[in-house]
Amino acid sequence: TLKFVDERIAVVQRELDSINFKLQLFQQENNIIQPESQSSNYLARIEEANKEASEQAIQLTNAQMIDDYLNDQENAFTPVPSVLGIPDPTLIEMIAGYNKAQLERVRLLENAPPGNVAVQQIEQQIHVLRSKIIENLKNIKASFRSAIGNIESRERAALGQVRLYPAKMQIYTEIQRAQATKLVVYNSLLEKREQSAISLASTISNTKVLQDARANPSPIRP
């Protein structure tokens, strides 16, 4: 029995090693460490990307609204109401200067006609500032679009992983199931071997020599 069990243990050990290697290789190739945590992480990344993309899209819309306002000739000599929360120090400073120039023009017109040299100079200054702000807004919008593109790229990558995850997890689960089954057989054989070894060690012969054999001095017959 011990010989048979030892032979089976050797076979099952090789099969178990093969399954363990297959599982390890599959984990490395598919970057699977903690499946449940990784699945939650992918979903969290998608949610975060959606939130970031939404924030960037709002900023892009705000920048476009300011751009449209400045390009509207009806607003040529009116201050920009707000930067709409765009966190760009250069834009904030330029619009502050632009609005200051607009207020200066209004002040000059209170005491001088539109054709006055000082009024014309401030209007030219306003025109230059408007062009600079529009150019700055162009760069800001390009930056927002680039950021949105990068975020969407990360989101697509995460979505791709989520779509592939069920198929990967099915293969991963099948390998784990084969590993668990083979491990049960292996442990059962080890237990059987231990039982057989104990049984062999505890086996004592039930025969006892009561008297040594001896021959008669003379033969019974020739």
Side-chain angles (χ1 to χ4, degrees):
T1 301
L2 276 175
K3 181 181 179 182
F4 171 77
V5 171
D6 284 341
E7 289 175 353
R8 290 303 305 159
I9 285 177
V11 172
V12 175
Q13 177 70 60
R14 288 193 297 271
E15 292 174 349
L16 188 58
D17 288 344
S18 176
I19 293 173
N20 289 338
F21 176 76
K22 184 178 180 182
L23 180 62
Q24 182 181 3
L25 186 63
F26 184 80
Q27 286 179 293
Q28 291 175 349
E29 290 178 347
N30 295 279
N31 192 29
I32 296 176
I33 302 173
Q34 296 179 332
E36 293 182 1
S37 299
Q38 286 179 282
S39 178
S40 300
N41 183 45
Y42 286 134
L43 294 175
R45 284 166 56 185
I46 292 172
E47 184 178 355
E48 182 182 356
N50 281 330
K51 183 179 179 181
E52 290 181 13
S54 178
E55 291 174 354
Q56 294 294 320
I58 291 172
Q59 296 290 352
L60 177 60
T61 301
N62 291 343
Q64 186 61 54
M65 288 172 65
I66 296 174
D67 192 14
D68 293 342
Y69 183 88
L70 289 170
N71 280 292
D72 189 347
Q73 292 302 316
E74 292 184 1
N75 303 319
F77 296 112
T78 56
V80 177
S82 170
V83 294
L84 299 176
I86 298 175
D88 187 88
T90 303
L91 177 66
I92 294 172
E93 183 179 354
M94 291 175 69
I95 288 181
Y98 178 81
N99 288 344
K100 183 179 179 181
Q102 291 282 14
L103 295 176
E104 178 65 18
R105 175 181 177 275
V106 172
R107 189 185 65 81
L108 288 173
L109 286 173
E110 290 177 354
N111 301 307
N116 184 273
V117 175
V119 174
Q120 290 181 349
Q121 287 178 344
I122 198 68
E123 288 181 352
Q124 180 62 27
Q125 183 182 347
I126 290 171
H127 176 73
V128 172
L129 286 170
R130 183 189 298 111
S131 299
K132 289 182 178 180
I133 294 172
I134 291 173
E135 184 64 26
N136 182 252
L137 284 169
K138 180 180 178 183
N139 296 331
I140 290 174
K141 290 189 292 182
S143 177
F144 285 144
R145 291 191 184 99
S146 177
I148 292 171
N150 291 333
I151 293 168
E152 289 177 345
S153 178
R154 296 203 316 267
E155 184 181 12
R156 284 194 297 270
L159 281 170
Q161 291 294 333
V162 169
R163 291 191 185 100
L164 293 174
Y165 214 68
K168 289 182 179 180
M169 286 308 302
Q170 182 178 356
I171 298 173
Y172 180 75
T173 304
E174 289 174 356
I175 299 174
Q176 279 190 319
R177 188 182 297 117
Q179 181 192 46
T181 302
K182 197 62 66 176
L183 195 58
V184 170
V185 175
Y186 182 75
N187 290 333
S188 176
L189 287 171
L190 288 178
E191 183 179 355
K192 181 65 176 176
R193 187 186 189 285
E194 188 68 17
Q195 292 173 353
S196 299
I198 293 173
S199 178
L200 177 64
S202 62
T203 301
I204 301 174
S205 175
N206 60 358
T207 62
K208 183 178 181 181
V209 178
L210 299 177
Q211 185 178 2
D212 291 335
R214 61 186 180 84
N216 291 327
S218 57
I220 294 179
R221 62 177 63 183

Tab-separated table of all heavy atoms in Angstrom, residues 71-129:
chain	number	residue	atom	x	y	z
A	71	ASN	N	-15.678	88.097	-28.872
A	71	ASN	CA	-15.750	88.204	-30.329
A	71	ASN	C	-17.049	88.836	-30.810
A	71	ASN	O	-17.198	89.116	-31.998
A	71	ASN	CB	-15.603	86.809	-30.958
A	71	ASN	CG	-14.147	86.356	-31.020
A	71	ASN	OD1	-13.353	86.918	-31.770
A	71	ASN	ND2	-13.791	85.352	-30.219
A	72	ASP	N	-17.984	89.047	-29.903
A	72	ASP	CA	-19.240	89.702	-30.255
A	72	ASP	C	-19.001	91.218	-30.275
A	72	ASP	O	-18.663	91.810	-29.254
A	72	ASP	CB	-20.314	89.343	-29.231
A	72	ASP	CG	-21.696	89.818	-29.651
A	72	ASP	OD1	-21.788	90.637	-30.601
A	72	ASP	OD2	-22.674	89.391	-29.022
A	73	GLN	N	-19.211	91.836	-31.437
A	73	GLN	CA	-18.954	93.271	-31.594
A	73	GLN	C	-19.843	94.127	-30.697
A	73	GLN	O	-19.484	95.261	-30.360
A	73	GLN	CB	-19.139	93.674	-33.065
A	73	GLN	CG	-18.087	93.092	-33.993
A	73	GLN	CD	-16.673	93.510	-33.584
A	73	GLN	OE1	-16.420	94.674	-33.253
A	73	GLN	NE2	-15.741	92.559	-33.606
A	74	GLU	N	-20.977	93.610	-30.308
A	74	GLU	CA	-21.853	94.366	-29.415
A	74	GLU	C	-21.222	94.546	-28.031
A	74	GLU	O	-21.616	95.434	-27.279
A	74	GLU	CB	-23.197	93.644	-29.279
A	74	GLU	CG	-24.026	93.634	-30.569
A	74	GLU	CD	-25.381	92.991	-30.352
A	74	GLU	OE1	-25.656	92.573	-29.201
A	74	GLU	OE2	-26.156	92.921	-31.326
A	75	ASN	N	-20.253	93.680	-27.703
A	75	ASN	CA	-19.598	93.765	-26.394
A	75	ASN	C	-18.194	94.374	-26.497
A	75	ASN	O	-17.380	94.199	-25.604
A	75	ASN	CB	-19.483	92.361	-25.774
A	75	ASN	CG	-20.826	91.686	-25.637
A	75	ASN	OD1	-21.801	92.324	-25.259
A	75	ASN	ND2	-20.876	90.393	-25.939
A	76	ALA	N	-17.962	95.084	-27.607
A	76	ALA	CA	-16.610	95.614	-27.850
A	76	ALA	C	-16.141	96.542	-26.745
A	76	ALA	O	-14.944	96.579	-26.420
A	76	ALA	CB	-16.574	96.335	-29.198
A	77	PHE	N	-17.086	97.300	-26.171
A	77	PHE	CA	-16.688	98.267	-25.137
A	77	PHE	C	-17.452	98.034	-23.826
A	77	PHE	O	-17.902	98.973	-23.170
A	77	PHE	CB	-16.883	99.694	-25.643
A	77	PHE	CG	-15.985	100.016	-26.807
A	77	PHE	CD1	-16.524	100.217	-28.072
A	77	PHE	CD2	-14.605	100.088	-26.651
A	77	PHE	CE1	-15.693	100.500	-29.158
A	77	PHE	CE2	-13.782	100.372	-27.727
A	77	PHE	CZ	-14.322	100.577	-28.989
A	78	THR	N	-17.590	96.753	-23.490
A	78	THR	CA	-18.178	96.396	-22.190
A	78	THR	C	-17.235	95.435	-21.478
A	78	THR	O	-16.587	94.595	-22.115
A	78	THR	CB	-19.548	95.710	-22.366
A	78	THR	OG1	-19.398	94.569	-23.223
A	78	THR	CG2	-20.558	96.667	-22.962
A	79	PRO	N	-17.120	95.557	-20.182
A	79	PRO	CA	-16.226	94.667	-19.431
A	79	PRO	C	-16.679	93.202	-19.506
A	79	PRO	O	-17.851	92.910	-19.741
A	79	PRO	CB	-16.329	95.191	-17.996
A	79	PRO	CG	-16.862	96.580	-18.119
A	79	PRO	CD	-17.749	96.558	-19.317
A	80	VAL	N	-15.735	92.309	-19.286
A	80	VAL	CA	-16.057	90.882	-19.211
A	80	VAL	C	-16.638	90.618	-17.820
A	80	VAL	O	-15.975	90.894	-16.814
A	80	VAL	CB	-14.800	90.010	-19.447
A	80	VAL	CG1	-15.136	88.536	-19.281
A	80	VAL	CG2	-14.236	90.277	-20.833
A	81	PRO	N	-17.868	90.116	-17.726
A	81	PRO	CA	-18.508	89.955	-16.409
A	81	PRO	C	-17.730	89.074	-15.434
A	81	PRO	O	-17.640	89.369	-14.253
A	81	PRO	CB	-19.866	89.329	-16.753
A	81	PRO	CG	-20.100	89.670	-18.183
A	81	PRO	CD	-18.747	89.703	-18.823
A	82	SER	N	-17.145	87.979	-15.937
A	82	SER	CA	-16.486	87.030	-15.034
A	82	SER	C	-15.568	86.112	-15.822
A	82	SER	O	-15.736	85.924	-17.038
A	82	SER	CB	-17.541	86.204	-14.287
A	82	SER	OG	-16.939	85.144	-13.593
A	83	VAL	N	-14.588	85.531	-15.122
A	83	VAL	CA	-13.727	84.516	-15.764
A	83	VAL	C	-14.351	83.144	-15.618
A	83	VAL	O	-13.778	82.141	-16.049
A	83	VAL	CB	-12.308	84.515	-15.156
A	83	VAL	CG1	-11.592	85.800	-15.454
A	83	VAL	CG2	-12.351	84.252	-13.652
A	84	LEU	N	-15.529	83.069	-14.978
A	84	LEU	CA	-16.317	81.830	-14.847
A	84	LEU	C	-15.537	80.693	-14.178
A	84	LEU	O	-15.694	79.525	-14.515
A	84	LEU	CB	-16.817	81.379	-16.231
A	84	LEU	CG	-17.725	82.372	-16.961
A	84	LEU	CD1	-18.074	81.864	-18.351
A	84	LEU	CD2	-18.987	82.617	-16.143
A	85	GLY	N	-14.673	81.080	-13.250
A	85	GLY	CA	-13.978	80.063	-12.466
A	85	GLY	C	-12.828	79.366	-13.166
A	85	GLY	O	-12.344	78.342	-12.683
A	86	ILE	N	-12.377	79.879	-14.304
A	86	ILE	CA	-11.237	79.262	-14.992
A	86	ILE	C	-9.967	79.573	-14.207
A	86	ILE	O	-9.592	80.726	-14.037
A	86	ILE	CB	-11.111	79.790	-16.436
A	86	ILE	CG1	-12.367	79.430	-17.228
A	86	ILE	CG2	-9.872	79.215	-17.118
A	86	ILE	CD1	-12.393	80.011	-18.622
A	87	PRO	N	-9.268	78.544	-13.716
A	87	PRO	CA	-8.116	78.760	-12.823
A	87	PRO	C	-6.820	79.050	-13.584
A	87	PRO	O	-5.825	78.312	-13.450
A	87	PRO	CB	-8.021	77.428	-12.064
A	87	PRO	CG	-8.494	76.422	-13.052
A	87	PRO	CD	-9.554	77.100	-13.886
A	88	ASP	N	-6.826	80.108	-14.356
A	88	ASP	CA	-5.629	80.474	-15.106
A	88	ASP	C	-5.201	81.884	-14.680
A	88	ASP	O	-5.892	82.866	-15.016
A	88	ASP	CB	-5.909	80.439	-16.618
A	88	ASP	CG	-4.648	80.659	-17.429
A	88	ASP	OD1	-3.941	79.681	-17.722
A	88	ASP	OD2	-4.375	81.837	-17.759
A	89	PRO	N	-4.097	82.014	-13.948
A	89	PRO	CA	-3.673	83.331	-13.442
A	89	PRO	C	-3.477	84.368	-14.541
A	89	PRO	O	-3.825	85.540	-14.371
A	89	PRO	CB	-2.352	83.029	-12.729
A	89	PRO	CG	-2.418	81.569	-12.399
A	89	PRO	CD	-3.188	80.943	-13.517
A	90	THR	N	-2.919	83.937	-15.675
A	90	THR	CA	-2.672	84.873	-16.775
A	90	THR	C	-3.978	85.439	-17.307
A	90	THR	O	-4.115	86.655	-17.537
A	90	THR	CB	-1.894	84.186	-17.903
A	90	THR	OG1	-0.677	83.656	-17.387
A	90	THR	CG2	-1.586	85.169	-19.026
A	91	LEU	N	-4.955	84.569	-17.512
A	91	LEU	CA	-6.265	85.005	-18.015
A	91	LEU	C	-6.919	85.958	-17.019
A	91	LEU	O	-7.470	86.999	-17.414
A	91	LEU	CB	-7.158	83.803	-18.268
A	91	LEU	CG	-8.590	84.116	-18.734
A	91	LEU	CD1	-8.560	84.767	-20.111
A	91	LEU	CD2	-9.452	82.857	-18.743
A	92	ILE	N	-6.863	85.614	-15.743
A	92	ILE	CA	-7.473	86.455	-14.705
A	92	ILE	C	-6.847	87.850	-14.709
A	92	ILE	O	-7.551	88.870	-14.648
A	92	ILE	CB	-7.317	85.791	-13.323
A	92	ILE	CG1	-8.131	84.493	-13.268
A	92	ILE	CG2	-7.753	86.739	-12.216
A	92	ILE	CD1	-7.891	83.655	-12.026
A	93	GLU	N	-5.520	87.896	-14.817
A	93	GLU	CA	-4.815	89.180	-14.814
A	93	GLU	C	-5.143	89.990	-16.061
A	93	GLU	O	-5.366	91.215	-15.992
A	93	GLU	CB	-3.313	88.925	-14.717
A	93	GLU	CG	-2.477	90.200	-14.633
A	93	GLU	CD	-0.988	89.921	-14.518
A	93	GLU	OE1	-0.620	88.737	-14.386
A	93	GLU	OE2	-0.203	90.885	-14.583
A	94	MET	N	-5.195	89.316	-17.205
A	94	MET	CA	-5.459	90.024	-18.460
A	94	MET	C	-6.883	90.580	-18.486
A	94	MET	O	-7.122	91.713	-18.948
A	94	MET	CB	-5.226	89.088	-19.645
A	94	MET	CG	-3.759	88.718	-19.849
A	94	MET	SD	-3.524	87.501	-21.164
A	94	MET	CE	-3.934	88.456	-22.599
A	95	ILE	N	-7.848	89.795	-17.996
A	95	ILE	CA	-9.227	90.279	-17.985
A	95	ILE	C	-9.387	91.430	-17.000
A	95	ILE	O	-10.149	92.387	-17.253
A	95	ILE	CB	-10.203	89.121	-17.673
A	95	ILE	CG1	-10.291	88.189	-18.892
A	95	ILE	CG2	-11.581	89.646	-17.295
A	95	ILE	CD1	-11.235	87.025	-18.735
A	96	ALA	N	-8.667	91.344	-15.887
A	96	ALA	CA	-8.702	92.459	-14.928
A	96	ALA	C	-8.188	93.737	-15.582
A	96	ALA	O	-8.774	94.825	-15.429
A	96	ALA	CB	-7.867	92.111	-13.695
A	97	GLY	N	-7.094	93.647	-16.354
A	97	GLY	CA	-6.557	94.805	-17.078
A	97	GLY	C	-7.512	95.289	-18.149
A	97	GLY	O	-7.669	96.511	-18.371
A	98	TYR	N	-8.160	94.332	-18.831
A	98	TYR	CA	-9.122	94.671	-19.886
A	98	TYR	C	-10.317	95.438	-19.305
A	98	TYR	O	-10.732	96.474	-19.841
A	98	TYR	CB	-9.580	93.374	-20.555
A	98	TYR	CG	-10.612	93.540	-21.636
A	98	TYR	CD1	-10.244	93.912	-22.929
A	98	TYR	CD2	-11.968	93.312	-21.382
A	98	TYR	CE1	-11.188	94.057	-23.931
A	98	TYR	CE2	-12.916	93.453	-22.374
A	98	TYR	CZ	-12.515	93.825	-23.653
A	98	TYR	OH	-13.465	93.971	-24.650
A	99	ASN	N	-10.852	94.933	-18.193
A	99	ASN	CA	-11.994	95.592	-17.557
A	99	ASN	C	-11.618	96.975	-17.019
A	99	ASN	O	-12.419	97.922	-17.071
A	99	ASN	CB	-12.547	94.721	-16.428
A	99	ASN	CG	-13.275	93.490	-16.967
A	99	ASN	OD1	-13.624	93.440	-18.145
A	99	ASN	ND2	-13.499	92.506	-16.114
A	100	LYS	N	-10.398	97.089	-16.519
A	100	LYS	CA	-9.922	98.381	-16.026
A	100	LYS	C	-9.856	99.390	-17.171
A	100	LYS	O	-10.240	100.572	-17.017
A	100	LYS	CB	-8.557	98.206	-15.372
A	100	LYS	CG	-8.003	99.475	-14.749
A	100	LYS	CD	-6.653	99.209	-14.084
A	100	LYS	CE	-6.088	100.490	-13.484
A	100	LYS	NZ	-4.756	100.255	-12.837
A	101	ALA	N	-9.388	98.942	-18.329
A	101	ALA	CA	-9.311	99.827	-19.502
A	101	ALA	C	-10.708	100.242	-19.961
A	101	ALA	O	-10.935	101.389	-20.380
A	101	ALA	CB	-8.561	99.135	-20.627
A	102	GLN	N	-11.657	99.297	-19.888
A	102	GLN	CA	-13.035	99.617	-20.274
A	102	GLN	C	-13.626	100.694	-19.354
A	102	GLN	O	-14.293	101.637	-19.821
A	102	GLN	CB	-13.901	98.339	-20.201
A	102	GLN	CG	-13.569	97.296	-21.249
A	102	GLN	CD	-14.151	97.628	-22.612
A	102	GLN	OE1	-14.587	98.761	-22.866
A	102	GLN	NE2	-14.134	96.671	-23.521
A	103	LEU	N	-13.354	100.552	-18.066
A	103	LEU	CA	-13.864	101.559	-17.113
A	103	LEU	C	-13.179	102.907	-17.315
A	103	LEU	O	-13.808	103.966	-17.168
A	103	LEU	CB	-13.643	101.058	-15.674
A	103	LEU	CG	-14.438	99.803	-15.273
A	103	LEU	CD1	-14.047	99.352	-13.873
A	103	LEU	CD2	-15.944	100.079	-15.344
A	104	GLU	N	-11.907	102.883	-17.680
A	104	GLU	CA	-11.164	104.110	-17.952
A	104	GLU	C	-11.769	104.819	-19.171
A	104	GLU	O	-11.884	106.054	-19.194
A	104	GLU	CB	-9.698	103.793	-18.190
A	104	GLU	CG	-8.823	104.986	-18.534
A	104	GLU	CD	-8.710	106.003	-17.395
A	104	GLU	OE1	-9.027	105.640	-16.234
A	104	GLU	OE2	-8.327	107.158	-17.652
A	105	ARG	N	-12.146	104.055	-20.186
A	105	ARG	CA	-12.767	104.642	-21.381
A	105	ARG	C	-14.086	105.323	-21.014
A	105	ARG	O	-14.388	106.441	-21.488
A	105	ARG	CB	-13.010	103.547	-22.422
A	105	ARG	CG	-13.773	104.046	-23.657
A	105	ARG	CD	-14.010	102.913	-24.642
A	105	ARG	NE	-14.795	103.376	-25.765
A	105	ARG	CZ	-16.128	103.435	-25.785
A	105	ARG	NH1	-16.819	103.060	-24.712
A	105	ARG	NH2	-16.769	103.876	-26.857
A	106	VAL	N	-14.881	104.644	-20.169
A	106	VAL	CA	-16.151	105.234	-19.745
A	106	VAL	C	-15.909	106.552	-19.003
A	106	VAL	O	-16.623	107.548	-19.192
A	106	VAL	CB	-16.923	104.236	-18.852
A	106	VAL	CG1	-18.159	104.908	-18.244
A	106	VAL	CG2	-17.333	103.008	-19.650
A	107	ARG	N	-14.886	106.568	-18.168
A	107	ARG	CA	-14.561	107.782	-17.415
A	107	ARG	C	-14.147	108.915	-18.340
A	107	ARG	O	-14.557	110.076	-18.156
A	107	ARG	CB	-13.434	107.484	-16.425
A	107	ARG	CG	-13.151	108.623	-15.430
A	107	ARG	CD	-11.945	108.308	-14.579
A	107	ARG	NE	-10.737	108.244	-15.393
A	107	ARG	CZ	-10.049	109.316	-15.795
A	107	ARG	NH1	-10.479	110.536	-15.486
A	107	ARG	NH2	-8.959	109.179	-16.521
A	108	LEU	N	-13.339	108.602	-19.361
A	108	LEU	CA	-12.889	109.632	-20.314
A	108	LEU	C	-14.060	110.187	-21.117
A	108	LEU	O	-14.118	111.389	-21.423
A	108	LEU	CB	-11.838	109.043	-21.256
A	108	LEU	CG	-10.459	108.758	-20.640
A	108	LEU	CD1	-9.564	108.022	-21.645
A	108	LEU	CD2	-9.782	110.072	-20.220
A	109	LEU	N	-15.001	109.305	-21.492
A	109	LEU	CA	-16.134	109.750	-22.307
A	109	LEU	C	-17.070	110.677	-21.542
A	109	LEU	O	-17.909	111.369	-22.149
A	109	LEU	CB	-16.914	108.536	-22.824
A	109	LEU	CG	-16.235	107.748	-23.947
A	109	LEU	CD1	-17.017	106.483	-24.259
A	109	LEU	CD2	-16.108	108.613	-25.215
A	110	GLU	N	-16.943	110.658	-20.239
A	110	GLU	CA	-17.780	111.572	-19.457
A	110	GLU	C	-17.374	113.034	-19.675
A	110	GLU	O	-18.206	113.936	-19.522
A	110	GLU	CB	-17.674	111.216	-17.973
A	110	GLU	CG	-18.337	109.892	-17.607
A	110	GLU	CD	-18.146	109.541	-16.140
A	110	GLU	OE1	-17.401	110.285	-15.442
A	110	GLU	OE2	-18.723	108.533	-15.688
A	111	ASN	N	-16.097	113.259	-20.056
A	111	ASN	CA	-15.596	114.630	-20.220
A	111	ASN	C	-15.016	114.904	-21.607
A	111	ASN	O	-14.507	115.995	-21.846
A	111	ASN	CB	-14.511	114.919	-19.170
A	111	ASN	CG	-15.034	114.753	-17.746
A	111	ASN	OD1	-16.044	115.344	-17.385
A	111	ASN	ND2	-14.358	113.926	-16.957
A	112	ALA	N	-15.038	113.885	-22.497
A	112	ALA	CA	-14.445	114.077	-23.834
A	112	ALA	C	-15.286	113.365	-24.872
A	112	ALA	O	-15.928	112.356	-24.585
A	112	ALA	CB	-13.007	113.551	-23.840
A	113	PRO	N	-15.296	113.871	-26.121
A	113	PRO	CA	-16.059	113.223	-27.190
A	113	PRO	C	-15.373	111.934	-27.651
A	113	PRO	O	-14.193	111.712	-27.384
A	113	PRO	CB	-16.044	114.288	-28.305
A	113	PRO	CG	-14.795	115.063	-28.056
A	113	PRO	CD	-14.622	115.102	-26.568
A	114	PRO	N	-16.094	111.042	-28.364
A	114	PRO	CA	-15.518	109.774	-28.819
A	114	PRO	C	-14.271	109.944	-29.671
A	114	PRO	O	-13.400	109.071	-29.685
A	114	PRO	CB	-16.654	109.154	-29.623
A	114	PRO	CG	-17.893	109.742	-29.046
A	114	PRO	CD	-17.533	111.141	-28.666
A	115	GLY	N	-14.153	111.057	-30.390
A	115	GLY	CA	-13.002	111.260	-31.256
A	115	GLY	C	-11.780	111.793	-30.544
A	115	GLY	O	-10.738	112.023	-31.181
A	116	ASN	N	-11.851	111.997	-29.260
A	116	ASN	CA	-10.727	112.521	-28.490
A	116	ASN	C	-9.542	111.565	-28.568
A	116	ASN	O	-9.691	110.341	-28.611
A	116	ASN	CB	-11.159	112.727	-27.038
A	116	ASN	CG	-10.070	113.371	-26.210
A	116	ASN	OD1	-9.219	112.671	-25.679
A	116	ASN	ND2	-10.111	114.706	-26.101
A	117	VAL	N	-8.343	112.151	-28.594
A	117	VAL	CA	-7.117	111.345	-28.717
A	117	VAL	C	-6.993	110.356	-27.566
A	117	VAL	O	-6.663	109.170	-27.759
A	117	VAL	CB	-5.871	112.261	-28.770
A	117	VAL	CG1	-4.613	111.417	-28.782
A	117	VAL	CG2	-5.933	113.164	-29.982
A	118	ALA	N	-7.264	110.814	-26.345
A	118	ALA	CA	-7.139	109.943	-25.180
A	118	ALA	C	-8.118	108.782	-25.267
A	118	ALA	O	-7.786	107.622	-24.933
A	118	ALA	CB	-7.370	110.731	-23.900
A	119	VAL	N	-9.333	109.071	-25.768
A	119	VAL	CA	-10.342	108.012	-25.923
A	119	VAL	C	-9.901	107.004	-26.975
A	119	VAL	O	-10.040	105.789	-26.804
A	119	VAL	CB	-11.710	108.627	-26.282
A	119	VAL	CG1	-12.734	107.511	-26.582
A	119	VAL	CG2	-12.216	109.518	-25.175
A	120	GLN	N	-9.370	107.513	-28.079
A	120	GLN	CA	-8.907	106.625	-29.142
A	120	GLN	C	-7.753	105.734	-28.665
A	120	GLN	O	-7.663	104.560	-29.032
A	120	GLN	CB	-8.492	107.452	-30.357
A	120	GLN	CG	-9.664	108.111	-31.068
A	120	GLN	CD	-9.220	108.921	-32.289
A	120	GLN	OE1	-8.024	109.156	-32.496
A	120	GLN	NE2	-10.185	109.350	-33.087
A	121	GLN	N	-6.880	106.318	-27.854
A	121	GLN	CA	-5.749	105.546	-27.332
A	121	GLN	C	-6.229	104.412	-26.414
A	121	GLN	O	-5.744	103.275	-26.513
A	121	GLN	CB	-4.793	106.472	-26.574
A	121	GLN	CG	-3.975	107.394	-27.462
A	121	GLN	CD	-3.071	108.318	-26.668
A	121	GLN	OE1	-3.238	108.488	-25.462
A	121	GLN	NE2	-2.122	108.951	-27.359
A	122	ILE	N	-7.190	104.731	-25.552
A	122	ILE	CA	-7.688	103.695	-24.648
A	122	ILE	C	-8.456	102.626	-25.416
A	122	ILE	O	-8.419	101.435	-25.074
A	122	ILE	CB	-8.555	104.304	-23.516
A	122	ILE	CG1	-8.688	103.293	-22.356
A	122	ILE	CG2	-9.925	104.706	-24.014
A	122	ILE	CD1	-7.426	103.041	-21.607
A	123	GLU	N	-9.125	103.050	-26.489
A	123	GLU	CA	-9.849	102.070	-27.318
A	123	GLU	C	-8.870	101.150	-28.039
A	123	GLU	O	-9.120	99.946	-28.185
A	123	GLU	CB	-10.750	102.790	-28.317
A	123	GLU	CG	-11.964	103.434	-27.665
A	123	GLU	CD	-12.856	104.127	-28.672
A	123	GLU	OE1	-12.441	104.239	-29.855
A	123	GLU	OE2	-13.972	104.554	-28.290
A	124	GLN	N	-7.739	101.723	-28.479
A	124	GLN	CA	-6.710	100.902	-29.108
A	124	GLN	C	-6.130	99.917	-28.096
A	124	GLN	O	-5.867	98.748	-28.413
A	124	GLN	CB	-5.602	101.800	-29.675
A	124	GLN	CG	-4.465	101.058	-30.362
A	124	GLN	CD	-4.936	100.268	-31.579
A	124	GLN	OE1	-5.934	100.619	-32.222
A	124	GLN	NE2	-4.217	99.191	-31.887
A	125	GLN	N	-5.947	100.393	-26.888
A	125	GLN	CA	-5.429	99.526	-25.826
A	125	GLN	C	-6.414	98.385	-25.542
A	125	GLN	O	-5.997	97.236	-25.354
A	125	GLN	CB	-5.195	100.344	-24.554
A	125	GLN	CG	-4.589	99.537	-23.407
A	125	GLN	CD	-4.412	100.384	-22.153
A	125	GLN	OE1	-4.505	101.619	-22.201
A	125	GLN	NE2	-4.156	99.732	-21.048
A	126	ILE	N	-7.687	98.725	-25.538
A	126	ILE	CA	-8.724	97.700	-25.326
A	126	ILE	C	-8.682	96.660	-26.442
A	126	ILE	O	-8.788	95.454	-26.200
A	126	ILE	CB	-10.116	98.366	-25.244
A	126	ILE	CG1	-10.243	99.159	-23.939
A	126	ILE	CG2	-11.223	97.322	-25.346
A	126	ILE	CD1	-11.491	100.027	-23.865
A	127	HIS	N	-8.517	97.139	-27.687
A	127	HIS	CA	-8.455	96.238	-28.836
A	127	HIS	C	-7.273	95.270	-28.714
A	127	HIS	O	-7.408	94.060	-28.968
A	127	HIS	CB	-8.349	97.057	-30.130
A	127	HIS	CG	-8.193	96.201	-31.354
A	127	HIS	ND1	-9.219	95.464	-31.887
A	127	HIS	CD2	-7.089	95.965	-32.144
A	127	HIS	CE1	-8.780	94.809	-32.953
A	127	HIS	NE2	-7.493	95.100	-33.129
A	128	VAL	N	-6.114	95.801	-28.317
A	128	VAL	CA	-4.920	94.964	-28.164
A	128	VAL	C	-5.130	93.932	-27.057
A	128	VAL	O	-4.804	92.748	-27.200
A	128	VAL	CB	-3.676	95.835	-27.873
A	128	VAL	CG1	-2.484	94.949	-27.509
A	128	VAL	CG2	-3.352	96.715	-29.074
A	129	LEU	N	-5.688	94.399	-25.938
A	129	LEU	CA	-5.937	93.494	-24.813
A	129	LEU	C	-6.931	92.400	-25.197
A	129	LEU	O	-6.760	91.226	-24.830
A	129	LEU	CB	-6.460	94.280	-23.606
A	129	LEU	CG	-5.432	95.121	-22.844
A	129	LEU	CD1	-6.127	96.025	-21.833
A	129	LEU	CD2	-4.420	94.215	-22.151
